[in-house]
Amino acid sequence: MAAKTRGARPINVMIVGQAGRLQYEAVLFAASLRATTPAGHARLFVAEPRPGPLWPGNPAMSAEVRDLLQDLGATLLPFTNRHFGQSYPYGNKIEALLALPPDEPFVFFDTDTLILDDLSRVPFDFDRPTASLRREDTWPRIELYGPGYSQIWKSLYDRFGLDFDSSLDRSWPDEYWQRYLYFNAGVFFYRCPRIFGQRFLDTSLAIRDDAPAELVCQSLDPWLDQVALPLVIHALGGGRATLPAGYLDGRTSCHYRNLPLLYAREPDDVVRHLEEIAAPNRIKKILKQHDPFKRMIYQERGHKARALFDRDDLPRREQAIRNTLKREGFWLR
C-alpha cells in the first residue's frame, strides 16, 4: 500500500484560505506541514475563492499572508464560486477540488488542522476513499413521529441509485446513528480531484435543490457537505475502514476545530507542536493579527483554558466542553 501513498509524485494536499479566520488557520496548517513532511513528499495547494457575485465582499487573503504561505511552500490556487459562496462557504471545499491538477491523488484537509507527522507515511489507498470518523451524531436530527435514520438515509441512497444495504455497519443496532455511513468532512482523499469534486458537487446540488421528502424536517446548513460526502465515498468504492486507524485525526493529523478546543482536549505534544510552529517571528507577526490566536497562543490564555479540564476524563460530548469554555470566557473564534 505504500506505493499508493507516494508513487513517483508527491501527494497533492489542499486546504481553503480566504479573508478572516481561515487565512490565519492556513498559515498554521502550512507551517505544520512544512515542519513535519519533506517538501518532496507533499505539495500544498491553498485554494482561494475569487471575488464575484456570490461574495458580497472580497474573499481574498491579505497580501502579507499570501506571501508568507508561498514562502512556506504553498501554491495559491484561485477558483471561482459558481454555486455556493457566501450563502454556504462550506461549499468552497467542493468547488475548489475542480481547480486541482486532474488525475493526481489528493488529500483535502479543513484549514483548522495541524499536521503532526510526515504525511507520506500514511498508507493511503487512493482508489478507496474515506473521510474522518472523528464525528458525533450531528445529522440527521430525528423528529417525533418523523422518519428514522434508515428511512432518511435510504431515501438518499435511492435518490442516487446507490445500494443502501451495503453501506450499513451491522455491528451497530438498527436506528443507531453509527450503523449508517457518516463522516466528518474535515479530511478526505481520492485518486482524482476532478472525479471526486464533480460527484461531490452534483450530489450536493441535488440534495440542496431537490431533496427527498424524507428530509423535509432536516437542516442542511451547515450539514450539506457531510450529508453528501458518504454518498460520494460509497459511490466511488470507498467506505469506513479503507485506511488503518490511528493516522488521520491521530498521530499524523489533528482536526482541532478551534484553538480553545485544542487547548482543552488535545495531548501535550499537540500543544507543544502548535506553539513551536507559531513561535518564529514572521509567523507570530501574522498570527497576532487574529485576536483569538493572539490571546490563546501568545497571551497564554490557552493554558488557562487547558487547566479547566482533565484530559484523562473529558466530557463525552464536545458540546459540554464548549459550554465550559464559554462559561469561563475562553470561547474565542
Side-chain angles (χ1 to χ4, degrees), residues 38-53:
H41 294 189
R43 290 193 300 170
L44 175 60
F45 292 87
V46 180
E48 183 180 36
R50 293 187 178 98

Side-chain angles (χ1 to χ4, degrees), residues 259-265 271 274-275 296-297 302-303 306:
L259 285 184
L261 282 176
L262 185 154
Y263 276 101
R265 67 185 179 183
V271 174
L274 163 69
E275 295 178 348
M296 297 302 291
I297 301 173
H303 287 278
R306 189 168 179 78

Side-chain angles (χ1 to χ4, degrees), residues 8 12 35-36 147 185 246 251 301 306 310 326:
N12 290 342
T36 57
R251 61 180 173 271
R301 295 193 71 188
R306 189 168 179 78
D310 178 357
K326 290 175 183 178

Side-chain angles (χ1 to χ4, degrees), residues 87-239:
S87 65
Y88 188 69
Y90 301 93
N92 279 341
K93 71 178 68 174
I94 302 170
E95 297 196 74
L97 290 171
L98 300 174
L100 279 173
D103 302 318
E104 295 183 12
F106 77 93
V107 185
F108 167 83
F109 287 98
D110 271 352
T111 316
D112 50 358
T113 301
L114 295 178
I115 302 302
L116 309 175
D117 194 10
D118 187 345
L119 194 61
S120 70
R121 294 176 182 168
V122 180
F124 293 110
D125 183 346
F126 287 106
D127 292 322
R128 301 174 64 222
T130 192
S132 172
L133 291 172
R134 189 180 186 184
R135 79 287 193 226
E136 295 181 347
D137 54 333
T138 49
W139 195 93
R141 308 307 293 175
I142 304 304
E143 302 289 338
L144 187 64
Y145 306 121
Y149 285 101
S150 289
Q151 193 174 349
I152 290 170
W153 279 114
K154 187 175 187 304
S155 73
L156 287 164
Y157 282 78
D158 290 347
R159 171 72 173 76
F160 297 101
L162 302 173
D163 180 50
F164 173 64
D165 287 343
S166 64
S167 74
L168 300 175
D169 181 351
R170 299 182 185 277
S171 66
W172 297 99
D174 193 33
E175 292 303 312
Y176 183 69
W177 70 275
Q178 284 187 262
R179 183 178 177 90
Y180 310 92
L181 199 61
Y182 189 57
F183 300 103
N184 183 300
V187 57
F188 50 82
F189 59 85
Y190 189 56
R191 60 180 173 81
C192 174
R194 302 289 176 89
I195 294 173
F196 194 100
Q198 193 63 57
R199 186 92 190 200
F200 205 176
L201 178 63
D202 292 344
T203 302
S204 300
L205 292 176
I207 295 171
R208 184 192 70 179
D209 299 336
D210 186 23
E214 287 81 357
L215 272 64
V216 67
C217 294
Q218 298 297 326
S219 173
L220 293 173
D221 190 357
W223 311 117
L224 178 60
D225 61 330
Q226 295 197 172
V227 176
L229 184 60
L231 303 169
V232 174
I233 285 174
H234 186 71
L236 295 177

